[in-house]
Amino acid sequence: MERDSILGTGWSFPVSFDTLNHRTVMASGLEDVKQSIFIILNTTPGERVMEPEFGCDLKQLVFENINESLKTKLDHIVYHALLNYEPRVKFIGTEIIGKSEPDGILHIKIEFSLIITNTRHNLVFPFYFTEGTNI
């Protein structure tokens, strides 16, 4: 695996092991950044004992209607989470891809740029919008 020293290298998420070489699988560069964003968005503040403020409180939006108000709330929540916990990126915006699907997943496209290389990227985050229902 090629290491990208500019953006860093860390354990892959989810954590996995290379049994052939007896090592932890690592993620570098853009993949490390995307995994970090995924961890931030999936962590609810208060889950981590040593960092109780870490995370993004997306779960408060689970039963919201899909409208412009939801988009504004998504932008605000994701912007502040990335501003506070992912210094390698500059948040550009969010976009809701499609409407509520039968499987209850709302796909959120998160656009960002890498600060050090000034390149734009996006990440599609599956948000379980109607989690816990019979849909």
Side-chain angles (χ1 to χ4, degrees), residues 115-132:
I115 292 174
I116 201 151
T117 61
N118 200 28
T119 55
R120 289 180 71 144
H121 301 276
N122 65 62
L123 168 76
V124 177
F125 179 75
F127 180 55
Y128 296 92
F129 197 70
T130 55
E131 188 173 307

Side-chain angles (χ1 to χ4, degrees), residues 97-108 125-131:
I97 301 175
K99 294 294 179 186
S100 186
E101 297 180 6
D103 57 2
I105 300 174
L106 186 70
H107 294 278
I108 304 167
F125 179 75
F127 180 55
Y128 296 92
F129 197 70
T130 55
E131 188 173 307

Side-chain angles (χ1 to χ4, degrees), residues 61-88:
L61 304 176
V62 168
F63 298 107
E64 293 285 328
N65 291 324
I66 302 171
N67 55 26
E68 284 302 311
S69 175
L70 176 66
K71 172 150 178 17
T72 304
K73 289 176 186 176
L74 276 171
D75 276 346
H76 178 77
I77 290 171
V78 173
Y79 167 76
H80 283 286
L82 295 183
L83 177 69
N84 291 328
Y85 301 111
E86 186 45 79
R88 299 174 288 185

Side-chain angles (χ1 to χ4, degrees), residues 9-30:
T9 300
W11 285 21
S12 65
F13 180 79
V15 176
S16 57
F17 301 96
D18 179 358
T19 56
L20 183 63
N21 296 319
H22 305 290
R23 296 182 188 185
T24 305
V25 175
M26 306 297 276
S28 294
L30 179 60

Side-chain angles (χ1 to χ4, degrees), residues 13 33-45 47-48 53-62 73-83 85-86 89 91 93-94 106-112 122-128 131:
F13 180 79
V33 172
K34 285 184 175 185
Q35 289 179 6
S36 175
I37 292 171
F38 193 80
I39 290 168
I40 293 166
L41 297 179
N42 270 314
T43 304
T44 302
E47 282 184 17
R48 294 189 175 195
E53 295 176 7
F54 179 83
C56 182
D57 200 11
L58 283 177
K59 289 183 183 175
Q60 71 176 328
L61 304 176
V62 168
K73 289 176 186 176
L74 276 171
D75 276 346
H76 178 77
I77 290 171
V78 173
Y79 167 76
H80 283 286
L82 295 183
L83 177 69
Y85 301 111
E86 186 45 79
V89 303
F91 174 77
T94 61
L106 186 70
H107 294 278
I108 304 167
K109 180 180 175 183
I110 300 164
E111 295 184 54
F112 61 93
N122 65 62
L123 168 76
V124 177
F125 179 75
F127 180 55
Y128 296 92
E131 188 173 307

